[in-house]
Protein backbone atom coordinates (compact mmCIF):
# COMPACT_ATOMS: atom_id res chain seq x y z
CA UNK A 1 0.00 0.00 0.00
CA UNK A 2 1.51 3.33 -1.07
CA UNK A 3 2.04 6.22 1.35
CA UNK A 4 0.30 9.43 0.41
CA UNK A 5 2.25 12.70 0.73
CA UNK A 6 -0.03 13.83 3.54
CA UNK A 7 0.53 10.73 5.63
CA UNK A 8 4.25 10.66 4.80
CA UNK A 9 4.75 14.11 6.34
CA UNK A 10 2.49 13.13 9.21
CA UNK A 11 4.69 10.16 10.01
CA UNK A 12 7.84 12.25 9.56
CA UNK A 13 6.56 14.86 12.03
CA UNK A 14 5.66 12.13 14.51
CA UNK A 15 9.16 10.65 14.19
CA UNK A 16 10.85 14.05 14.65
CA UNK A 17 8.76 14.73 17.74
CA UNK A 18 9.65 11.27 19.03
CA UNK A 19 13.32 11.96 18.38
CA UNK A 20 13.11 15.29 20.27
CA UNK A 21 11.42 13.56 23.18
CA UNK A 22 14.08 10.88 23.21
CA UNK A 23 16.83 13.55 23.05
CA UNK A 24 15.21 15.46 25.92
CA UNK A 25 15.03 12.32 28.01
CA UNK A 26 18.64 11.51 27.16
CA UNK A 27 19.81 15.01 28.19
CA UNK A 28 17.74 14.85 31.38
CA UNK A 29 19.28 11.50 32.25
CA UNK A 30 22.78 12.89 31.53
CA UNK A 31 22.11 15.93 33.74
CA UNK A 32 21.02 13.85 36.69
CA UNK A 33 23.90 11.42 36.12
CA UNK A 34 26.50 14.26 36.13
CA UNK A 35 24.94 15.94 39.13
CA UNK A 36 24.19 12.98 41.36
CA UNK A 37 25.47 9.68 39.98
CA UNK A 38 28.97 10.79 39.00
CA UNK A 39 29.43 12.41 42.43
CA UNK A 40 29.94 8.96 43.81
CA UNK A 41 33.74 8.35 43.67
CA UNK A 42 33.53 4.69 42.71
CA UNK A 43 31.19 5.31 39.76
CA UNK A 44 33.16 8.38 38.61
CA UNK A 45 36.40 6.40 38.66
CA UNK A 46 34.78 3.53 36.71
CA UNK A 47 33.47 5.89 34.05
CA UNK A 48 36.87 7.58 33.61
CA UNK A 49 38.50 4.17 33.30
CA UNK A 50 36.13 3.30 30.43
CA UNK A 51 36.92 6.58 28.71
CA UNK A 52 40.71 6.06 29.04
CA UNK A 53 40.38 2.49 27.71
CA UNK A 54 38.01 2.99 24.76
CA UNK A 55 38.27 6.67 24.11
CA UNK A 56 35.56 9.30 24.38
CA UNK A 57 34.12 8.64 20.93
CA UNK A 58 34.13 4.89 21.37
CA UNK A 59 32.33 5.28 24.66
CA UNK A 60 29.48 7.14 22.94
CA UNK A 61 29.03 4.53 20.19
CA UNK A 62 26.73 2.18 22.21
CA UNK A 63 24.54 5.12 23.15
CA UNK A 64 24.38 6.30 19.54
CA UNK A 65 23.58 2.78 18.31
CA UNK A 66 20.91 2.39 20.96
CA UNK A 67 19.35 5.70 19.98
CA UNK A 68 19.48 4.79 16.28
CA UNK A 69 17.92 1.38 16.94
CA UNK A 70 15.12 2.84 19.00
CA UNK A 71 14.46 5.45 16.34
CA UNK A 72 14.39 2.80 13.57
CA UNK A 73 12.09 0.55 15.59
CA UNK A 74 9.73 3.43 16.25
CA UNK A 75 9.73 4.29 12.55
CA UNK A 76 8.82 0.74 11.57
CA UNK A 77 6.07 0.58 14.19
CA UNK A 78 4.55 3.85 12.97
CA UNK A 79 4.61 2.79 9.31
CA UNK A 80 3.07 -0.60 10.08
CA UNK A 81 0.40 1.04 12.20
CA UNK A 82 -0.40 3.41 9.34
CA UNK A 83 -0.65 0.56 6.83
CA UNK A 84 -2.93 -1.45 9.14
CA UNK A 85 -5.08 1.64 9.67
CA UNK A 86 -5.44 2.18 5.93
CA UNK A 87 -6.20 -1.51 5.40
CA UNK A 88 -8.86 -1.40 8.09
CA UNK A 89 -10.42 1.69 6.50
CA UNK A 90 -10.55 -0.08 3.13
CA UNK A 91 -12.04 -3.23 4.67
CA UNK A 92 -14.71 -1.20 6.48
CA UNK A 93 -15.49 0.72 3.28
CA UNK A 94 -15.92 -2.51 1.28
CA UNK A 95 -17.91 -4.06 4.13
CA UNK A 96 -20.36 -1.14 3.95
CA UNK A 97 -20.61 -1.78 0.20
CA UNK A 98 -21.43 -5.45 0.87
CA UNK A 99 -23.98 -4.46 3.52
CA UNK A 100 -25.93 -2.53 0.88
CA UNK A 101 -26.82 -5.82 -0.78
CA UNK A 102 -23.74 -6.49 -2.92
CA UNK A 103 -23.22 -9.97 -1.49
CA UNK A 104 -21.20 -11.18 -4.47
CA UNK A 105 -18.45 -8.64 -3.73
CA UNK A 106 -15.17 -9.97 -2.35
CA UNK A 107 -12.92 -7.74 -0.23
CA UNK A 108 -9.98 -6.87 -2.46
CA UNK A 109 -7.21 -7.20 0.15
CA UNK A 110 -6.21 -9.97 2.49
CA UNK A 111 -3.73 -8.65 5.10
CA UNK A 112 -1.47 -10.91 7.11
CA UNK A 113 -2.17 -11.84 10.72
CA UNK A 114 -5.36 -11.28 12.68
CA UNK A 115 -6.71 -8.75 10.20
CA UNK A 116 -6.49 -11.36 7.46
CA UNK A 117 -8.43 -13.78 9.68
CA UNK A 118 -11.09 -11.09 10.09
CA UNK A 119 -11.37 -10.79 6.29
CA UNK A 120 -11.71 -14.58 5.97
CA UNK A 121 -14.44 -14.57 8.62
CA UNK A 122 -16.28 -11.79 6.78
CA UNK A 123 -16.15 -13.78 3.54
CA UNK A 124 -17.45 -16.89 5.33
CA UNK A 125 -20.26 -14.89 6.96
CA UNK A 126 -21.26 -13.27 3.66
CA UNK A 127 -21.25 -16.67 1.92
CA UNK A 128 -23.44 -18.22 4.61
CA UNK A 129 -25.80 -15.24 4.38
CA UNK A 130 -25.92 -15.54 0.60
CA UNK A 131 -26.58 -19.29 0.84
CA UNK A 132 -29.31 -18.72 3.42
CA UNK A 133 -30.98 -16.13 1.20
CA UNK A 134 -30.76 -18.45 -1.79
CA UNK A 135 -32.22 -21.27 0.27
CA UNK A 136 -35.00 -18.97 1.43
CA UNK A 137 -35.77 -18.02 -2.18
CA UNK A 138 -35.70 -21.66 -3.18
CA UNK A 139 -38.06 -22.62 -0.36
CA UNK A 140 -40.39 -19.78 -1.25
CA UNK A 141 -40.45 -20.90 -4.88
CA UNK A 142 -40.89 -24.46 -3.69
CA UNK A 143 -43.93 -23.46 -1.65
CA UNK A 144 -45.42 -21.68 -4.67
CA UNK A 145 -44.82 -24.73 -6.84
CA UNK A 146 -46.35 -26.95 -4.17
CA UNK A 147 -49.53 -24.87 -4.04
CA UNK A 148 -49.73 -24.82 -7.85
CA UNK A 149 -49.23 -28.56 -8.22
CA UNK A 150 -51.62 -29.46 -5.40
CA UNK A 151 -54.26 -27.14 -6.82
CA UNK A 152 -53.88 -28.74 -10.24
CA UNK A 153 -53.97 -32.29 -8.90
CA UNK A 154 -56.99 -31.63 -6.71
CA UNK A 155 -58.93 -29.66 -9.29
CA UNK A 156 -58.96 -32.46 -11.90
CA UNK A 157 -60.70 -35.16 -9.82
CA UNK A 158 -62.79 -32.56 -7.96
CA UNK A 159 -64.15 -31.30 -11.28
CA UNK A 160 -65.14 -34.85 -12.21
CA UNK A 161 -66.78 -35.46 -8.83
CA UNK A 162 -68.80 -32.24 -9.06
CA UNK A 163 -69.71 -33.00 -12.67
CA UNK A 164 -71.03 -36.54 -12.11
CA UNK A 165 -72.76 -35.69 -8.83
CA UNK A 166 -74.30 -32.70 -10.63
CA UNK A 167 -75.73 -35.03 -13.26
CA UNK A 168 -77.31 -37.10 -10.51
CA UNK A 169 -78.52 -33.98 -8.69
CA UNK A 170 -80.14 -32.67 -11.89
CA UNK A 171 -81.71 -36.06 -12.71
CA UNK A 172 -79.72 -36.26 -15.93
CA UNK A 173 -79.60 -40.05 -16.08
CA UNK A 174 -81.61 -42.71 -17.84
CA UNK A 175 -81.81 -45.49 -15.26
CA UNK A 176 -80.49 -46.72 -11.91
CA UNK A 177 -77.54 -48.41 -13.60
CA UNK A 178 -76.36 -45.07 -14.94
CA UNK A 179 -76.71 -43.53 -11.45
CA UNK A 180 -74.46 -46.29 -10.10
CA UNK A 181 -71.97 -45.64 -12.90
CA UNK A 182 -71.84 -41.92 -12.11
CA UNK A 183 -71.55 -42.58 -8.37
CA UNK A 184 -68.77 -45.12 -8.95
CA UNK A 185 -66.76 -42.65 -11.04
CA UNK A 186 -67.20 -39.96 -8.38
CA UNK A 187 -66.12 -42.48 -5.72
CA UNK A 188 -62.96 -43.42 -7.63
CA UNK A 189 -62.08 -39.75 -8.12
CA UNK A 190 -62.64 -39.12 -4.40
CA UNK A 191 -60.24 -41.98 -3.61
CA UNK A 192 -57.63 -40.36 -5.86
CA UNK A 193 -58.05 -37.11 -3.97
CA UNK A 194 -57.68 -38.99 -0.70
CA UNK A 195 -54.43 -40.58 -1.91
CA UNK A 196 -53.06 -37.18 -2.88
CA UNK A 197 -54.05 -35.56 0.42
CA UNK A 198 -52.53 -38.41 2.42
CA UNK A 199 -49.33 -38.33 0.36
CA UNK A 200 -49.12 -34.58 0.72
CA UNK A 201 -49.58 -34.85 4.48
CA UNK A 202 -46.90 -37.54 4.71
CA UNK A 203 -44.53 -35.52 2.52
CA UNK A 204 -44.84 -32.40 4.66
CA UNK A 205 -44.29 -34.51 7.79
CA UNK A 206 -41.06 -36.14 6.62
CA UNK A 207 -39.78 -32.89 5.09
CA UNK A 208 -40.26 -31.02 8.35
CA UNK A 209 -36.90 -30.18 9.94
CA UNK A 210 -38.21 -31.46 13.25
CA UNK A 211 -39.41 -34.77 11.77
CA UNK A 212 -39.19 -37.56 14.34
CA UNK A 213 -37.63 -40.95 13.61
CA UNK A 214 -38.52 -43.75 16.00
CA UNK A 215 -35.65 -45.77 17.38
CA UNK A 216 -36.78 -49.38 17.00
CA UNK A 217 -34.64 -52.49 16.71
CA UNK A 218 -35.91 -54.92 14.07
CA UNK A 219 -34.93 -57.66 11.64
CA UNK A 220 -34.71 -56.17 8.16
CA UNK A 221 -35.01 -59.60 6.48
CA UNK A 222 -38.32 -60.29 8.21
CA UNK A 223 -39.60 -56.78 7.45
CA UNK A 224 -38.85 -57.03 3.72
CA UNK A 225 -40.35 -60.52 3.45
CA UNK A 226 -43.58 -59.46 5.21
CA UNK A 227 -44.05 -56.39 3.01
CA UNK A 228 -43.26 -58.33 -0.17
CA UNK A 229 -45.84 -61.04 0.60
CA UNK A 230 -48.56 -58.39 0.58
CA UNK A 231 -47.86 -57.63 -3.09
CA UNK A 232 -47.87 -61.20 -4.48
CA UNK A 233 -51.53 -61.05 -5.52
CA UNK A 234 -51.13 -57.59 -7.11
CA UNK A 235 -48.11 -58.87 -9.03
CA UNK A 236 -49.98 -61.97 -10.23
CA UNK A 237 -52.92 -59.88 -11.40
CA UNK A 238 -50.44 -57.76 -13.39
CA UNK A 239 -48.95 -60.88 -14.94
CA UNK A 240 -45.71 -60.62 -12.96
CA UNK A 241 -43.72 -63.05 -10.82
CA UNK A 242 -42.50 -61.58 -7.52
CA UNK A 243 -39.22 -63.04 -6.25
CA UNK A 244 -37.70 -62.24 -2.84
CA UNK A 245 -34.01 -62.94 -2.25
CA UNK A 246 -32.88 -62.44 1.36
CA UNK A 247 -30.02 -63.80 3.48
CA UNK A 248 -30.64 -66.87 5.66
CA UNK A 249 -29.50 -65.06 8.80
CA UNK A 250 -31.16 -62.09 10.49
CA UNK A 251 -30.02 -58.52 9.83
CA UNK A 252 -30.60 -56.62 13.06
CA UNK A 253 -30.74 -52.83 12.73
CA UNK A 254 -32.45 -49.76 14.16
CA UNK A 255 -34.84 -47.34 12.51
CA UNK A 256 -38.45 -46.30 12.08
CA UNK A 257 -40.22 -49.43 10.81
CA UNK A 258 -43.45 -47.61 9.89
CA UNK A 259 -41.58 -45.17 7.65
CA UNK A 260 -39.38 -47.88 6.12
CA UNK A 261 -42.48 -49.95 5.33
CA UNK A 262 -43.83 -46.91 3.49
CA UNK A 263 -40.65 -46.82 1.38
CA UNK A 264 -40.81 -50.54 0.55
CA UNK A 265 -44.50 -50.38 -0.32
CA UNK A 266 -43.88 -47.45 -2.63
CA UNK A 267 -40.98 -49.12 -4.45
CA UNK A 268 -42.73 -52.48 -4.88
CA UNK A 269 -46.05 -50.92 -5.93
CA UNK A 270 -44.18 -48.83 -8.52
CA UNK A 271 -42.46 -51.99 -9.77
CA UNK A 272 -45.89 -53.63 -10.20
CA UNK A 273 -47.40 -50.55 -11.84
CA UNK A 274 -44.57 -49.79 -14.26
CA UNK A 275 -43.31 -53.34 -14.79
CA UNK A 276 -46.42 -54.62 -16.56
CA UNK A 277 -44.48 -54.85 -19.81
CA UNK A 278 -42.10 -57.32 -18.17
CA UNK A 279 -42.36 -60.65 -16.42
CA UNK A 280 -40.52 -60.43 -13.10
CA UNK A 281 -40.02 -58.30 -10.00
CA UNK A 282 -37.02 -59.01 -7.81
CA UNK A 283 -36.68 -57.78 -4.22
CA UNK A 284 -33.21 -58.40 -2.84
CA UNK A 285 -31.57 -57.70 0.54
CA UNK A 286 -27.79 -57.82 0.93
CA UNK A 287 -25.00 -56.46 3.11
CA UNK A 288 -23.02 -53.65 1.55
CA UNK A 289 -20.12 -51.95 3.31
CA UNK A 290 -21.00 -50.86 6.83
CA UNK A 291 -24.73 -51.05 6.12
CA UNK A 292 -27.38 -53.02 4.26
CA UNK A 293 -29.03 -52.52 0.90
CA UNK A 294 -32.50 -53.25 -0.46
CA UNK A 295 -32.89 -53.49 -4.25
CA UNK A 296 -36.29 -53.55 -5.97
CA UNK A 297 -36.03 -54.34 -9.69
CA UNK A 298 -38.42 -55.02 -12.56
CA UNK A 299 -37.74 -56.00 -16.16
CA UNK A 300 -40.46 -53.85 -17.67
CA UNK A 301 -39.97 -50.89 -19.99
CA UNK A 302 -36.86 -48.88 -19.01
CA UNK A 303 -37.03 -45.32 -17.72
CA UNK A 304 -35.60 -42.81 -20.24
CA UNK A 305 -32.18 -41.59 -19.12
CA UNK A 306 -33.22 -37.92 -19.17
CA UNK A 307 -35.85 -38.59 -16.51
CA UNK A 308 -33.61 -40.39 -14.01
CA UNK A 309 -32.17 -37.28 -12.25
CA UNK A 310 -35.69 -35.95 -11.60
CA UNK A 311 -37.37 -39.11 -10.33
CA UNK A 312 -37.15 -38.16 -6.66
CA UNK A 313 -38.55 -34.67 -7.16
CA UNK A 314 -42.07 -34.14 -5.91
CA UNK A 315 -44.96 -34.31 -8.42
CA UNK A 316 -42.63 -35.69 -11.11
CA UNK A 317 -44.10 -38.33 -13.39
CA UNK A 318 -42.15 -40.12 -16.09
CA UNK A 319 -45.03 -40.34 -18.52
CA UNK A 320 -45.61 -36.59 -18.35
CA UNK A 321 -49.31 -37.17 -17.75
CA UNK A 322 -51.07 -36.17 -14.58
CA UNK A 323 -53.44 -39.13 -14.80
CA UNK A 324 -53.70 -40.91 -11.46
CA UNK A 325 -54.36 -44.27 -13.09
CA UNK A 326 -50.71 -44.39 -14.13
CA UNK A 327 -48.91 -41.54 -12.45
CA UNK A 328 -50.13 -41.67 -8.84
CA UNK A 329 -49.74 -38.52 -6.78
CA UNK A 330 -46.18 -37.90 -7.94
CA UNK A 331 -45.08 -37.71 -4.29
CA UNK A 332 -44.24 -41.35 -3.59
CA UNK A 333 -40.56 -41.30 -4.50
CA UNK A 334 -40.08 -37.85 -2.96
CA UNK A 335 -41.50 -39.21 0.30
CA UNK A 336 -39.28 -42.29 0.03
CA UNK A 337 -36.16 -40.17 -0.42
CA UNK A 338 -37.06 -37.94 2.53
CA UNK A 339 -37.57 -40.99 4.76
CA UNK A 340 -34.25 -42.50 3.69
CA UNK A 341 -32.54 -39.16 4.31
CA UNK A 342 -33.96 -39.17 7.84
CA UNK A 343 -32.36 -42.59 8.30
CA UNK A 344 -29.02 -41.20 7.03
CA UNK A 345 -29.10 -43.52 4.05
CA UNK A 346 -29.23 -43.15 0.28
CA UNK A 347 -31.63 -44.10 -2.51
CA UNK A 348 -30.70 -44.36 -6.17
CA UNK A 349 -32.05 -45.67 -9.45
CA UNK A 350 -30.52 -47.39 -12.46
CA UNK A 351 -32.43 -48.28 -15.61
CA UNK A 352 -31.18 -50.43 -18.47
CA UNK A 353 -33.08 -52.21 -21.26
CA UNK A 354 -33.01 -55.34 -19.06
CA UNK A 355 -33.77 -54.07 -15.54
CA UNK A 356 -34.90 -50.95 -13.71
CA UNK A 357 -33.53 -51.07 -10.17
CA UNK A 358 -34.16 -48.85 -7.16
CA UNK A 359 -31.54 -49.37 -4.46
CA UNK A 360 -31.83 -48.21 -0.85
CA UNK A 361 -28.76 -48.23 1.38
CA UNK A 362 -29.17 -47.91 5.15
CA UNK A 363 -26.70 -47.85 8.04
CA UNK A 364 -27.16 -50.51 10.73
CA UNK A 365 -27.71 -47.79 13.34
CA UNK A 366 -28.66 -44.13 13.05
CA UNK A 367 -26.25 -41.68 14.67
CA UNK A 368 -27.43 -38.58 16.51
CA UNK A 369 -30.71 -37.88 18.21
CA UNK A 370 -33.65 -39.88 17.01
Amino acid sequence: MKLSTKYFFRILVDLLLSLLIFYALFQTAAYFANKYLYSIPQIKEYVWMLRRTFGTDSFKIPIILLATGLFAAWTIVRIRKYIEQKQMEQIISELHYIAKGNYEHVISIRPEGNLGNVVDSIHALVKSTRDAMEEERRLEQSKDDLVTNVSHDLRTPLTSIIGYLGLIEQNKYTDEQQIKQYAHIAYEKAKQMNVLVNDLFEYTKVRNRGAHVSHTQFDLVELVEQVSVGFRIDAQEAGLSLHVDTPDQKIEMTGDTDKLVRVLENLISNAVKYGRDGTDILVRVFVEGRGVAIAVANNGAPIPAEYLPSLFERFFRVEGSRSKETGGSGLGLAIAKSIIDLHQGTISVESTPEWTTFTVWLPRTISGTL
Side-chain angles (χ1 to χ4, degrees), residues 224 243 245 264 267 282-286 293-297 357-360:
V224 171
H243 310 276
D245 180 12
L264 287 170
L267 295 180
L282 174 61
V283 180
R284 191 162 65 97
V285 178
F286 55 95
I294 307 167
V296 178
T357 306
F358 286 85
T359 304
V360 171

PDB file of all heavy atoms in Angstrom, residues 224 243 245 264 267 282-286 293-297 357-360:
ATOM      1  N   VAL A 224     -38.748 -57.026   5.176  1.00  0.00           N
ATOM      2  CA  VAL A 224     -38.848 -57.033   3.718  1.00  0.00           C
ATOM      3  C   VAL A 224     -39.718 -58.194   3.242  1.00  0.00           C
ATOM      4  O   VAL A 224     -40.558 -58.036   2.335  1.00  0.00           O
ATOM      5  CB  VAL A 224     -37.442 -57.121   3.089  1.00  0.00           C
ATOM      6  CG1 VAL A 224     -37.533 -57.357   1.588  1.00  0.00           C
ATOM      7  CG2 VAL A 224     -36.657 -55.847   3.370  1.00  0.00           C
ATOM      8  N   HIS A 243     -40.254 -62.218  -6.880  1.00  0.00           N
ATOM      9  CA  HIS A 243     -39.217 -63.038  -6.253  1.00  0.00           C
ATOM     10  C   HIS A 243     -38.562 -62.233  -5.130  1.00  0.00           C
ATOM     11  O   HIS A 243     -38.247 -61.043  -5.303  1.00  0.00           O
ATOM     12  CB  HIS A 243     -38.154 -63.445  -7.270  1.00  0.00           C
ATOM     13  CG  HIS A 243     -38.721 -64.040  -8.519  1.00  0.00           C
ATOM     14  ND1 HIS A 243     -39.066 -65.371  -8.622  1.00  0.00           N
ATOM     15  CD2 HIS A 243     -39.018 -63.476  -9.730  1.00  0.00           C
ATOM     16  CE1 HIS A 243     -39.551 -65.618  -9.831  1.00  0.00           C
ATOM     17  NE2 HIS A 243     -39.538 -64.474 -10.529  1.00  0.00           N
ATOM     18  N   ASP A 245     -35.317 -62.321  -2.519  1.00  0.00           N
ATOM     19  CA  ASP A 245     -34.009 -62.938  -2.254  1.00  0.00           C
ATOM     20  C   ASP A 245     -33.410 -62.266  -1.017  1.00  0.00           C
ATOM     21  O   ASP A 245     -32.980 -61.109  -1.072  1.00  0.00           O
ATOM     22  CB  ASP A 245     -33.094 -62.754  -3.468  1.00  0.00           C
ATOM     23  CG  ASP A 245     -31.722 -63.375  -3.252  1.00  0.00           C
ATOM     24  OD1 ASP A 245     -31.557 -64.132  -2.269  1.00  0.00           O
ATOM     25  OD2 ASP A 245     -30.800 -63.072  -4.041  1.00  0.00           O
ATOM     26  N   LEU A 264     -40.745 -49.255   1.250  1.00  0.00           N
ATOM     27  CA  LEU A 264     -40.810 -50.540   0.553  1.00  0.00           C
ATOM     28  C   LEU A 264     -42.109 -50.674  -0.238  1.00  0.00           C
ATOM     29  O   LEU A 264     -42.104 -51.135  -1.386  1.00  0.00           O
ATOM     30  CB  LEU A 264     -40.691 -51.682   1.566  1.00  0.00           C
ATOM     31  CG  LEU A 264     -39.300 -51.909   2.169  1.00  0.00           C
ATOM     32  CD1 LEU A 264     -39.376 -52.898   3.318  1.00  0.00           C
ATOM     33  CD2 LEU A 264     -38.333 -52.395   1.104  1.00  0.00           C
ATOM     34  N   LEU A 267     -41.874 -48.572  -3.419  1.00  0.00           N
ATOM     35  CA  LEU A 267     -40.980 -49.124  -4.446  1.00  0.00           C
ATOM     36  C   LEU A 267     -41.581 -50.371  -5.112  1.00  0.00           C
ATOM     37  O   LEU A 267     -41.516 -50.520  -6.337  1.00  0.00           O
ATOM     38  CB  LEU A 267     -39.619 -49.446  -3.833  1.00  0.00           C
ATOM     39  CG  LEU A 267     -38.799 -48.249  -3.321  1.00  0.00           C
ATOM     40  CD1 LEU A 267     -37.473 -48.718  -2.747  1.00  0.00           C
ATOM     41  CD2 LEU A 267     -38.570 -47.222  -4.430  1.00  0.00           C
ATOM     42  N   LEU A 282     -37.978 -58.412  -8.728  1.00  0.00           N
ATOM     43  CA  LEU A 282     -37.018 -59.014  -7.812  1.00  0.00           C
ATOM     44  C   LEU A 282     -36.755 -58.057  -6.656  1.00  0.00           C
ATOM     45  O   LEU A 282     -36.356 -56.902  -6.872  1.00  0.00           O
ATOM     46  CB  LEU A 282     -35.708 -59.333  -8.539  1.00  0.00           C
ATOM     47  CG  LEU A 282     -34.558 -59.842  -7.659  1.00  0.00           C
ATOM     48  CD1 LEU A 282     -34.957 -61.157  -6.975  1.00  0.00           C
ATOM     49  CD2 LEU A 282     -33.294 -60.032  -8.498  1.00  0.00           C
ATOM     50  N   VAL A 283     -36.993 -58.542  -5.440  1.00  0.00           N
ATOM     51  CA  VAL A 283     -36.678 -57.778  -4.219  1.00  0.00           C
ATOM     52  C   VAL A 283     -35.524 -58.489  -3.528  1.00  0.00           C
ATOM     53  O   VAL A 283     -35.640 -59.668  -3.169  1.00  0.00           O
ATOM     54  CB  VAL A 283     -37.897 -57.688  -3.280  1.00  0.00           C
ATOM     55  CG1 VAL A 283     -37.530 -56.888  -2.029  1.00  0.00           C
ATOM     56  CG2 VAL A 283     -39.085 -57.063  -3.992  1.00  0.00           C
ATOM     57  N   ARG A 284     -34.428 -57.765  -3.353  1.00  0.00           N
ATOM     58  CA  ARG A 284     -33.209 -58.400  -2.836  1.00  0.00           C
ATOM     59  C   ARG A 284     -32.663 -57.602  -1.658  1.00  0.00           C
ATOM     60  O   ARG A 284     -32.660 -56.365  -1.678  1.00  0.00           O
ATOM     61  CB  ARG A 284     -32.167 -58.479  -3.948  1.00  0.00           C
ATOM     62  CG  ARG A 284     -30.967 -59.353  -3.627  1.00  0.00           C
ATOM     63  CD  ARG A 284     -30.228 -59.713  -4.911  1.00  0.00           C
ATOM     64  NE  ARG A 284     -29.656 -58.540  -5.557  1.00  0.00           N
ATOM     65  CZ  ARG A 284     -28.375 -58.158  -5.400  1.00  0.00           C
ATOM     66  NH1 ARG A 284     -27.559 -58.860  -4.633  1.00  0.00           N
ATOM     67  NH2 ARG A 284     -27.921 -57.096  -6.044  1.00  0.00           N
ATOM     68  N   VAL A 285     -32.204 -58.309  -0.631  1.00  0.00           N
ATOM     69  CA  VAL A 285     -31.566 -57.700   0.543  1.00  0.00           C
ATOM     70  C   VAL A 285     -30.153 -58.257   0.645  1.00  0.00           C
ATOM     71  O   VAL A 285     -29.952 -59.472   0.585  1.00  0.00           O
ATOM     72  CB  VAL A 285     -32.355 -58.008   1.840  1.00  0.00           C
ATOM     73  CG1 VAL A 285     -31.635 -57.413   3.047  1.00  0.00           C
ATOM     74  CG2 VAL A 285     -33.768 -57.479   1.743  1.00  0.00           C
ATOM     75  N   PHE A 286     -29.188 -57.363   0.821  1.00  0.00           N
ATOM     76  CA  PHE A 286     -27.793 -57.823   0.929  1.00  0.00           C
ATOM     77  C   PHE A 286     -26.979 -56.809   1.742  1.00  0.00           C
ATOM     78  O   PHE A 286     -27.333 -55.630   1.839  1.00  0.00           O
ATOM     79  CB  PHE A 286     -27.168 -58.017  -0.458  1.00  0.00           C
ATOM     80  CG  PHE A 286     -27.246 -56.808  -1.353  1.00  0.00           C
ATOM     81  CD1 PHE A 286     -26.186 -55.914  -1.437  1.00  0.00           C
ATOM     82  CD2 PHE A 286     -28.383 -56.567  -2.110  1.00  0.00           C
ATOM     83  CE1 PHE A 286     -26.255 -54.805  -2.261  1.00  0.00           C
ATOM     84  CE2 PHE A 286     -28.467 -55.453  -2.936  1.00  0.00           C
ATOM     85  CZ  PHE A 286     -27.401 -54.571  -3.012  1.00  0.00           C
ATOM     86  N   ALA A 293     -28.381 -53.082   2.078  1.00  0.00           N
ATOM     87  CA  ALA A 293     -29.032 -52.523   0.901  1.00  0.00           C
ATOM     88  C   ALA A 293     -30.282 -53.333   0.561  1.00  0.00           C
ATOM     89  O   ALA A 293     -30.329 -54.545   0.783  1.00  0.00           O
ATOM     90  CB  ALA A 293     -28.071 -52.499  -0.279  1.00  0.00           C
ATOM     91  N   ILE A 294     -31.273 -52.620   0.032  1.00  0.00           N
ATOM     92  CA  ILE A 294     -32.496 -53.253  -0.461  1.00  0.00           C
ATOM     93  C   ILE A 294     -32.655 -52.823  -1.922  1.00  0.00           C
ATOM     94  O   ILE A 294     -32.711 -51.623  -2.213  1.00  0.00           O
ATOM     95  CB  ILE A 294     -33.730 -52.799   0.339  1.00  0.00           C
ATOM     96  CG1 ILE A 294     -33.514 -53.005   1.838  1.00  0.00           C
ATOM     97  CG2 ILE A 294     -34.976 -53.532  -0.136  1.00  0.00           C
ATOM     98  CD1 ILE A 294     -34.549 -52.313   2.695  1.00  0.00           C
ATOM     99  N   ALA A 295     -32.736 -53.784  -2.822  1.00  0.00           N
ATOM    100  CA  ALA A 295     -32.889 -53.487  -4.250  1.00  0.00           C
ATOM    101  C   ALA A 295     -34.230 -54.017  -4.731  1.00  0.00           C
ATOM    102  O   ALA A 295     -34.580 -55.176  -4.477  1.00  0.00           O
ATOM    103  CB  ALA A 295     -31.751 -54.109  -5.053  1.00  0.00           C
ATOM    104  N   VAL A 296     -35.001 -53.157  -5.391  1.00  0.00           N
ATOM    105  CA  VAL A 296     -36.288 -53.554  -5.972  1.00  0.00           C
ATOM    106  C   VAL A 296     -36.177 -53.333  -7.478  1.00  0.00           C
ATOM    107  O   VAL A 296     -36.005 -52.200  -7.939  1.00  0.00           O
ATOM    108  CB  VAL A 296     -37.447 -52.728  -5.390  1.00  0.00           C
ATOM    109  CG1 VAL A 296     -38.762 -53.141  -6.048  1.00  0.00           C
ATOM    110  CG2 VAL A 296     -37.527 -52.894  -3.876  1.00  0.00           C
ATOM    111  N   ALA A 297     -36.255 -54.417  -8.248  1.00  0.00           N
ATOM    112  CA  ALA A 297     -36.031 -54.335  -9.695  1.00  0.00           C
ATOM    113  C   ALA A 297     -37.199 -54.957 -10.450  1.00  0.00           C
ATOM    114  O   ALA A 297     -37.862 -55.882  -9.978  1.00  0.00           O
ATOM    115  CB  ALA A 297     -34.734 -55.049 -10.060  1.00  0.00           C
ATOM    116  N   THR A 357     -33.800 -50.708 -11.562  1.00  0.00           N
ATOM    117  CA  THR A 357     -33.526 -51.075 -10.172  1.00  0.00           C
ATOM    118  C   THR A 357     -33.455 -49.845  -9.281  1.00  0.00           C
ATOM    119  O   THR A 357     -32.678 -48.915  -9.547  1.00  0.00           O
ATOM    120  CB  THR A 357     -32.188 -51.840 -10.071  1.00  0.00           C
ATOM    121  OG1 THR A 357     -32.211 -52.949 -10.970  1.00  0.00           O
ATOM    122  CG2 THR A 357     -31.956 -52.320  -8.650  1.00  0.00           C
ATOM    123  N   PHE A 358     -34.242 -49.861  -8.224  1.00  0.00           N
ATOM    124  CA  PHE A 358     -34.160 -48.855  -7.162  1.00  0.00           C
ATOM    125  C   PHE A 358     -33.409 -49.490  -5.992  1.00  0.00           C
ATOM    126  O   PHE A 358     -33.808 -50.570  -5.517  1.00  0.00           O
ATOM    127  CB  PHE A 358     -35.543 -48.400  -6.714  1.00  0.00           C
ATOM    128  CG  PHE A 358     -36.224 -47.494  -7.701  1.00  0.00           C
ATOM    129  CD1 PHE A 358     -36.943 -48.027  -8.769  1.00  0.00           C
ATOM    130  CD2 PHE A 358     -36.157 -46.117  -7.566  1.00  0.00           C
ATOM    131  CE1 PHE A 358     -37.587 -47.199  -9.684  1.00  0.00           C
ATOM    132  CE2 PHE A 358     -36.785 -45.284  -8.479  1.00  0.00           C
ATOM    133  CZ  PHE A 358     -37.494 -45.823  -9.537  1.00  0.00           C
ATOM    134  N   THR A 359     -32.364 -48.830  -5.540  1.00  0.00           N
ATOM    135  CA  THR A 359     -31.539 -49.373  -4.465  1.00  0.00           C
ATOM    136  C   THR A 359     -31.525 -48.421  -3.273  1.00  0.00           C
ATOM    137  O   THR A 359     -31.205 -47.243  -3.416  1.00  0.00           O
ATOM    138  CB  THR A 359     -30.091 -49.614  -4.941  1.00  0.00           C
ATOM    139  OG1 THR A 359     -30.109 -50.472  -6.091  1.00  0.00           O
ATOM    140  CG2 THR A 359     -29.266 -50.264  -3.845  1.00  0.00           C
ATOM    141  N   VAL A 360     -31.859 -48.971  -2.114  1.00  0.00           N
ATOM    142  CA  VAL A 360     -31.828 -48.213  -0.855  1.00  0.00           C
ATOM    143  C   VAL A 360     -30.685 -48.746  -0.015  1.00  0.00           C
ATOM    144  O   VAL A 360     -30.559 -49.960   0.187  1.00  0.00           O
ATOM    145  CB  VAL A 360     -33.158 -48.370  -0.084  1.00  0.00           C
ATOM    146  CG1 VAL A 360     -33.034 -47.766   1.322  1.00  0.00           C
ATOM    147  CG2 VAL A 360     -34.293 -47.726  -0.844  1.00  0.00           C
TER     148      VAL A 360
END
